[in-house]
PDB file of all heavy atoms in Angstrom:
ATOM      1  N   SER Q  30      48.095 -16.270 -63.446  1.00  0.00           N
ATOM      2  CA  SER Q  30      48.059 -17.320 -62.446  1.00  0.00           C
ATOM      3  C   SER Q  30      49.417 -17.378 -61.745  1.00  0.00           C
ATOM      4  O   SER Q  30      50.463 -17.395 -62.414  1.00  0.00           O
ATOM      5  CB  SER Q  30      47.778 -18.667 -63.120  1.00  0.00           C
ATOM      6  OG  SER Q  30      47.841 -19.678 -62.164  1.00  0.00           O
ATOM      7  N   ILE Q  31      49.377 -17.334 -60.434  1.00  0.00           N
ATOM      8  CA  ILE Q  31      50.656 -17.412 -59.697  1.00  0.00           C
ATOM      9  C   ILE Q  31      50.567 -18.584 -58.700  1.00  0.00           C
ATOM     10  O   ILE Q  31      49.481 -19.002 -58.280  1.00  0.00           O
ATOM     11  CB  ILE Q  31      50.964 -16.118 -58.913  1.00  0.00           C
ATOM     12  CG1 ILE Q  31      49.855 -15.812 -57.903  1.00  0.00           C
ATOM     13  CG2 ILE Q  31      51.146 -14.958 -59.876  1.00  0.00           C
ATOM     14  CD1 ILE Q  31      50.248 -14.705 -56.941  1.00  0.00           C
ATOM     15  N   THR Q  32      51.704 -19.097 -58.372  1.00  0.00           N
ATOM     16  CA  THR Q  32      51.756 -20.181 -57.392  1.00  0.00           C
ATOM     17  C   THR Q  32      52.606 -19.714 -56.225  1.00  0.00           C
ATOM     18  O   THR Q  32      53.727 -19.228 -56.413  1.00  0.00           O
ATOM     19  CB  THR Q  32      52.409 -21.432 -58.040  1.00  0.00           C
ATOM     20  OG1 THR Q  32      51.642 -21.825 -59.145  1.00  0.00           O
ATOM     21  CG2 THR Q  32      52.480 -22.590 -57.023  1.00  0.00           C
ATOM     22  N   ILE Q  33      52.075 -19.879 -55.068  1.00  0.00           N
ATOM     23  CA  ILE Q  33      52.795 -19.529 -53.866  1.00  0.00           C
ATOM     24  C   ILE Q  33      53.281 -20.846 -53.247  1.00  0.00           C
ATOM     25  O   ILE Q  33      52.472 -21.744 -52.986  1.00  0.00           O
ATOM     26  CB  ILE Q  33      51.915 -18.757 -52.861  1.00  0.00           C
ATOM     27  CG1 ILE Q  33      51.447 -17.421 -53.505  1.00  0.00           C
ATOM     28  CG2 ILE Q  33      52.670 -18.504 -51.544  1.00  0.00           C
ATOM     29  CD1 ILE Q  33      50.494 -16.636 -52.684  1.00  0.00           C
ATOM     30  N   THR Q  34      54.569 -20.930 -53.069  1.00  0.00           N
ATOM     31  CA  THR Q  34      55.132 -22.141 -52.508  1.00  0.00           C
ATOM     32  C   THR Q  34      55.647 -21.885 -51.094  1.00  0.00           C
ATOM     33  O   THR Q  34      56.009 -20.759 -50.757  1.00  0.00           O
ATOM     34  CB  THR Q  34      56.300 -22.691 -53.366  1.00  0.00           C
ATOM     35  OG1 THR Q  34      57.302 -21.670 -53.437  1.00  0.00           O
ATOM     36  CG2 THR Q  34      55.830 -23.034 -54.741  1.00  0.00           C
ATOM     37  N   GLU Q  35      55.638 -22.917 -50.325  1.00  0.00           N
ATOM     38  CA  GLU Q  35      56.181 -22.789 -48.971  1.00  0.00           C
ATOM     39  C   GLU Q  35      57.704 -22.805 -49.068  1.00  0.00           C
ATOM     40  O   GLU Q  35      58.269 -23.457 -49.936  1.00  0.00           O
ATOM     41  CB  GLU Q  35      55.704 -23.932 -48.100  1.00  0.00           C
ATOM     42  CG  GLU Q  35      54.241 -23.865 -47.786  1.00  0.00           C
ATOM     43  CD  GLU Q  35      53.878 -24.642 -46.544  1.00  0.00           C
ATOM     44  OE1 GLU Q  35      54.749 -24.769 -45.647  1.00  0.00           O
ATOM     45  OE2 GLU Q  35      52.760 -25.096 -46.473  1.00  0.00           O
ATOM     46  N   LYS Q  36      58.295 -22.068 -48.166  1.00  0.00           N
ATOM     47  CA  LYS Q  36      59.741 -22.042 -48.116  1.00  0.00           C
ATOM     48  C   LYS Q  36      60.196 -23.434 -47.706  1.00  0.00           C
ATOM     49  O   LYS Q  36      59.632 -24.052 -46.813  1.00  0.00           O
ATOM     50  CB  LYS Q  36      60.172 -20.999 -47.073  1.00  0.00           C
ATOM     51  CG  LYS Q  36      61.628 -20.680 -47.082  1.00  0.00           C
ATOM     52  CD  LYS Q  36      61.899 -19.491 -46.174  1.00  0.00           C
ATOM     53  CE  LYS Q  36      63.340 -19.078 -46.392  1.00  0.00           C
ATOM     54  NZ  LYS Q  36      63.623 -17.814 -45.695  1.00  0.00           N
ATOM     55  N   PRO Q  37      61.261 -23.965 -48.345  1.00  0.00           N
ATOM     56  CA  PRO Q  37      61.721 -25.305 -47.981  1.00  0.00           C
ATOM     57  C   PRO Q  37      62.299 -25.319 -46.546  1.00  0.00           C
ATOM     58  O   PRO Q  37      62.701 -24.317 -46.007  1.00  0.00           O
ATOM     59  CB  PRO Q  37      62.828 -25.618 -49.006  1.00  0.00           C
ATOM     60  CG  PRO Q  37      63.214 -24.302 -49.574  1.00  0.00           C
ATOM     61  CD  PRO Q  37      62.037 -23.370 -49.400  1.00  0.00           C
ATOM     62  N   VAL Q  38      62.325 -26.520 -45.972  1.00  0.00           N
ATOM     63  CA  VAL Q  38      62.819 -26.703 -44.620  1.00  0.00           C
ATOM     64  C   VAL Q  38      64.081 -27.549 -44.724  1.00  0.00           C
ATOM     65  O   VAL Q  38      64.110 -28.562 -45.434  1.00  0.00           O
ATOM     66  CB  VAL Q  38      61.768 -27.437 -43.735  1.00  0.00           C
ATOM     67  CG1 VAL Q  38      62.309 -27.707 -42.361  1.00  0.00           C
ATOM     68  CG2 VAL Q  38      60.480 -26.608 -43.674  1.00  0.00           C
ATOM     69  N   ALA Q  39      65.129 -27.147 -44.042  1.00  0.00           N
ATOM     70  CA  ALA Q  39      66.432 -27.824 -44.111  1.00  0.00           C
ATOM     71  C   ALA Q  39      66.835 -28.493 -42.794  1.00  0.00           C
ATOM     72  O   ALA Q  39      67.918 -29.018 -42.706  1.00  0.00           O
ATOM     73  CB  ALA Q  39      67.516 -26.841 -44.535  1.00  0.00           C
ATOM     74  N   ASP Q  40      65.928 -28.494 -41.812  1.00  0.00           N
ATOM     75  CA  ASP Q  40      66.269 -29.043 -40.496  1.00  0.00           C
ATOM     76  C   ASP Q  40      66.712 -30.502 -40.544  1.00  0.00           C
ATOM     77  O   ASP Q  40      66.097 -31.308 -41.256  1.00  0.00           O
ATOM     78  CB  ASP Q  40      65.075 -28.937 -39.555  1.00  0.00           C
ATOM     79  CG  ASP Q  40      64.693 -27.508 -39.249  1.00  0.00           C
ATOM     80  OD1 ASP Q  40      65.458 -26.605 -39.563  1.00  0.00           O
ATOM     81  OD2 ASP Q  40      63.616 -27.300 -38.673  1.00  0.00           O
ATOM     82  N   PHE Q  41      67.756 -30.818 -39.797  1.00  0.00           N
ATOM     83  CA  PHE Q  41      68.235 -32.219 -39.710  1.00  0.00           C
ATOM     84  C   PHE Q  41      69.070 -32.348 -38.451  1.00  0.00           C
ATOM     85  O   PHE Q  41      69.456 -31.372 -37.804  1.00  0.00           O
ATOM     86  CB  PHE Q  41      69.096 -32.577 -40.916  1.00  0.00           C
ATOM     87  CG  PHE Q  41      70.454 -31.928 -40.920  1.00  0.00           C
ATOM     88  CD1 PHE Q  41      71.571 -32.663 -40.579  1.00  0.00           C
ATOM     89  CD2 PHE Q  41      70.620 -30.566 -41.237  1.00  0.00           C
ATOM     90  CE1 PHE Q  41      72.855 -32.085 -40.555  1.00  0.00           C
ATOM     91  CE2 PHE Q  41      71.852 -29.984 -41.252  1.00  0.00           C
ATOM     92  CZ  PHE Q  41      72.984 -30.729 -40.878  1.00  0.00           C
ATOM     93  N   SER Q  42      69.329 -33.582 -38.071  1.00  0.00           N
ATOM     94  CA  SER Q  42      70.199 -33.855 -36.930  1.00  0.00           C
ATOM     95  C   SER Q  42      70.809 -35.275 -37.135  1.00  0.00           C
ATOM     96  O   SER Q  42      70.361 -36.028 -37.967  1.00  0.00           O
ATOM     97  CB  SER Q  42      69.426 -33.818 -35.601  1.00  0.00           C
ATOM     98  OG  SER Q  42      68.426 -34.829 -35.579  1.00  0.00           O
ATOM     99  N   TYR Q  43      71.820 -35.540 -36.309  1.00  0.00           N
ATOM    100  CA  TYR Q  43      72.393 -36.874 -36.226  1.00  0.00           C
ATOM    101  C   TYR Q  43      72.052 -37.433 -34.854  1.00  0.00           C
ATOM    102  O   TYR Q  43      71.657 -36.659 -33.962  1.00  0.00           O
ATOM    103  CB  TYR Q  43      73.890 -36.860 -36.483  1.00  0.00           C
ATOM    104  CG  TYR Q  43      74.247 -36.487 -37.902  1.00  0.00           C
ATOM    105  CD1 TYR Q  43      74.537 -35.183 -38.247  1.00  0.00           C
ATOM    106  CD2 TYR Q  43      74.273 -37.452 -38.910  1.00  0.00           C
ATOM    107  CE1 TYR Q  43      74.831 -34.834 -39.569  1.00  0.00           C
ATOM    108  CE2 TYR Q  43      74.576 -37.120 -40.223  1.00  0.00           C
ATOM    109  CZ  TYR Q  43      74.848 -35.814 -40.534  1.00  0.00           C
ATOM    110  OH  TYR Q  43      75.155 -35.480 -41.841  1.00  0.00           O
ATOM    111  N   SER Q  44      72.222 -38.704 -34.654  1.00  0.00           N
ATOM    112  CA  SER Q  44      71.795 -39.335 -33.391  1.00  0.00           C
ATOM    113  C   SER Q  44      72.586 -38.858 -32.171  1.00  0.00           C
ATOM    114  O   SER Q  44      72.106 -38.944 -31.045  1.00  0.00           O
ATOM    115  CB  SER Q  44      71.862 -40.849 -33.510  1.00  0.00           C
ATOM    116  OG  SER Q  44      73.188 -41.263 -33.811  1.00  0.00           O
ATOM    117  N   ASN Q  45      73.814 -38.401 -32.373  1.00  0.00           N
ATOM    118  CA  ASN Q  45      74.664 -37.898 -31.270  1.00  0.00           C
ATOM    119  C   ASN Q  45      75.434 -36.660 -31.705  1.00  0.00           C
ATOM    120  O   ASN Q  45      75.522 -36.386 -32.923  1.00  0.00           O
ATOM    121  CB  ASN Q  45      75.674 -38.964 -30.835  1.00  0.00           C
ATOM    122  CG  ASN Q  45      75.006 -40.151 -30.175  1.00  0.00           C
ATOM    123  OD1 ASN Q  45      74.255 -39.981 -29.215  1.00  0.00           O
ATOM    124  ND2 ASN Q  45      75.264 -41.357 -30.689  1.00  0.00           N
ATOM    125  N   PHE Q  46      76.032 -36.007 -30.738  1.00  0.00           N
ATOM    126  CA  PHE Q  46      76.917 -34.903 -31.019  1.00  0.00           C
ATOM    127  C   PHE Q  46      78.382 -35.342 -31.047  1.00  0.00           C
ATOM    128  O   PHE Q  46      79.206 -34.735 -31.668  1.00  0.00           O
ATOM    129  CB  PHE Q  46      76.747 -33.782 -29.966  1.00  0.00           C
ATOM    130  CG  PHE Q  46      75.395 -33.139 -29.968  1.00  0.00           C
ATOM    131  CD1 PHE Q  46      74.447 -33.497 -29.047  1.00  0.00           C
ATOM    132  CD2 PHE Q  46      75.076 -32.176 -30.908  1.00  0.00           C
ATOM    133  CE1 PHE Q  46      73.200 -32.936 -29.037  1.00  0.00           C
ATOM    134  CE2 PHE Q  46      73.826 -31.599 -30.925  1.00  0.00           C
ATOM    135  CZ  PHE Q  46      72.863 -31.950 -30.001  1.00  0.00           C
ATOM    136  N   ASP Q  47      78.668 -36.422 -30.295  1.00  0.00           N
ATOM    137  CA  ASP Q  47      80.036 -36.915 -30.139  1.00  0.00           C
ATOM    138  C   ASP Q  47      80.163 -38.364 -30.603  1.00  0.00           C
ATOM    139  O   ASP Q  47      79.298 -39.187 -30.230  1.00  0.00           O
ATOM    140  CB  ASP Q  47      80.476 -36.822 -28.677  1.00  0.00           C
ATOM    141  CG  ASP Q  47      80.455 -35.402 -28.148  1.00  0.00           C
ATOM    142  OD1 ASP Q  47      80.853 -34.481 -28.872  1.00  0.00           O
ATOM    143  OD2 ASP Q  47      80.009 -35.200 -26.992  1.00  0.00           O
ATOM    144  N   TYR Q  48      81.243 -38.663 -31.319  1.00  0.00           N
ATOM    145  CA  TYR Q  48      81.468 -40.013 -31.848  1.00  0.00           C
ATOM    146  C   TYR Q  48      82.914 -40.419 -31.552  1.00  0.00           C
ATOM    147  O   TYR Q  48      83.845 -39.603 -31.782  1.00  0.00           O
ATOM    148  CB  TYR Q  48      81.207 -40.080 -33.352  1.00  0.00           C
ATOM    149  CG  TYR Q  48      79.750 -39.862 -33.664  1.00  0.00           C
ATOM    150  CD1 TYR Q  48      79.244 -38.599 -33.889  1.00  0.00           C
ATOM    151  CD2 TYR Q  48      78.860 -40.940 -33.696  1.00  0.00           C
ATOM    152  CE1 TYR Q  48      77.886 -38.388 -34.156  1.00  0.00           C
ATOM    153  CE2 TYR Q  48      77.511 -40.738 -33.954  1.00  0.00           C
ATOM    154  CZ  TYR Q  48      77.052 -39.476 -34.190  1.00  0.00           C
ATOM    155  OH  TYR Q  48      75.692 -39.266 -34.444  1.00  0.00           O
ATOM    156  N   CYS Q  49      83.105 -41.635 -31.091  1.00  0.00           N
ATOM    157  CA  CYS Q  49      84.431 -42.215 -30.876  1.00  0.00           C
ATOM    158  C   CYS Q  49      84.691 -43.191 -32.037  1.00  0.00           C
ATOM    159  O   CYS Q  49      83.993 -44.190 -32.180  1.00  0.00           O
ATOM    160  CB  CYS Q  49      84.489 -42.953 -29.535  1.00  0.00           C
ATOM    161  SG  CYS Q  49      86.114 -43.679 -29.229  1.00  0.00           S
ATOM    162  N   SER Q  50      85.682 -42.891 -32.839  1.00  0.00           N
ATOM    163  CA  SER Q  50      85.989 -43.700 -34.021  1.00  0.00           C
ATOM    164  C   SER Q  50      86.926 -44.846 -33.606  1.00  0.00           C
ATOM    165  O   SER Q  50      88.060 -44.605 -33.233  1.00  0.00           O
ATOM    166  CB  SER Q  50      86.632 -42.853 -35.078  1.00  0.00           C
ATOM    167  OG  SER Q  50      87.025 -43.643 -36.166  1.00  0.00           O
ATOM    168  N   ASN Q  51      86.395 -46.071 -33.704  1.00  0.00           N
ATOM    169  CA  ASN Q  51      87.185 -47.260 -33.391  1.00  0.00           C
ATOM    170  C   ASN Q  51      87.676 -47.846 -34.730  1.00  0.00           C
ATOM    171  O   ASN Q  51      86.842 -48.188 -35.571  1.00  0.00           O
ATOM    172  CB  ASN Q  51      86.318 -48.279 -32.660  1.00  0.00           C
ATOM    173  CG  ASN Q  51      87.062 -49.516 -32.236  1.00  0.00           C
ATOM    174  OD1 ASN Q  51      88.094 -49.849 -32.780  1.00  0.00           O
ATOM    175  ND2 ASN Q  51      86.529 -50.202 -31.261  1.00  0.00           N
ATOM    176  N   PRO Q  52      89.003 -47.954 -34.927  1.00  0.00           N
ATOM    177  CA  PRO Q  52      89.481 -48.445 -36.231  1.00  0.00           C
ATOM    178  C   PRO Q  52      89.039 -49.893 -36.531  1.00  0.00           C
ATOM    179  O   PRO Q  52      89.084 -50.309 -37.676  1.00  0.00           O
ATOM    180  CB  PRO Q  52      91.023 -48.362 -36.099  1.00  0.00           C
ATOM    181  CG  PRO Q  52      91.283 -48.213 -34.661  1.00  0.00           C
ATOM    182  CD  PRO Q  52      90.068 -47.652 -33.993  1.00  0.00           C
ATOM    183  N   ALA Q  53      88.585 -50.602 -35.532  1.00  0.00           N
ATOM    184  CA  ALA Q  53      88.144 -52.004 -35.754  1.00  0.00           C
ATOM    185  C   ALA Q  53      86.651 -52.137 -36.041  1.00  0.00           C
ATOM    186  O   ALA Q  53      86.157 -53.193 -36.344  1.00  0.00           O
ATOM    187  CB  ALA Q  53      88.485 -52.848 -34.519  1.00  0.00           C
ATOM    188  N   VAL Q  54      85.933 -51.011 -35.970  1.00  0.00           N
ATOM    189  CA  VAL Q  54      84.473 -51.046 -36.127  1.00  0.00           C
ATOM    190  C   VAL Q  54      84.028 -50.004 -37.161  1.00  0.00           C
ATOM    191  O   VAL Q  54      84.235 -48.817 -36.984  1.00  0.00           O
ATOM    192  CB  VAL Q  54      83.755 -50.756 -34.787  1.00  0.00           C
ATOM    193  CG1 VAL Q  54      82.244 -50.762 -34.970  1.00  0.00           C
ATOM    194  CG2 VAL Q  54      84.198 -51.750 -33.716  1.00  0.00           C
ATOM    195  N   ALA Q  55      83.426 -50.496 -38.254  1.00  0.00           N
ATOM    196  CA  ALA Q  55      82.895 -49.570 -39.260  1.00  0.00           C
ATOM    197  C   ALA Q  55      81.629 -48.925 -38.694  1.00  0.00           C
ATOM    198  O   ALA Q  55      80.807 -49.567 -38.070  1.00  0.00           O
ATOM    199  CB  ALA Q  55      82.555 -50.334 -40.542  1.00  0.00           C
ATOM    200  N   GLU Q  56      81.533 -47.607 -38.896  1.00  0.00           N
ATOM    201  CA  GLU Q  56      80.344 -46.882 -38.407  1.00  0.00           C
ATOM    202  C   GLU Q  56      79.982 -45.789 -39.384  1.00  0.00           C
ATOM    203  O   GLU Q  56      80.791 -44.907 -39.687  1.00  0.00           O
ATOM    204  CB  GLU Q  56      80.609 -46.284 -37.010  1.00  0.00           C
ATOM    205  CG  GLU Q  56      79.426 -45.545 -36.435  1.00  0.00           C
ATOM    206  CD  GLU Q  56      79.688 -44.972 -35.053  1.00  0.00           C
ATOM    207  OE1 GLU Q  56      80.852 -44.945 -34.613  1.00  0.00           O
ATOM    208  OE2 GLU Q  56      78.719 -44.505 -34.434  1.00  0.00           O
TER     209      GLU Q  56
END
Side-chain angles (χ1 to χ4, degrees):
S30 176
I31 62 169
T32 301
I33 298 175
T34 59
E35 291 202 29
K36 191 171 188 171
V38 177
D40 294 349
F41 73 103
S42 63
Y43 292 95
S44 59
N45 291 306
F46 295 101
D47 300 318
Y48 294 89
C49 180
S50 175
N51 183 338
V54 179
E56 181 180 11

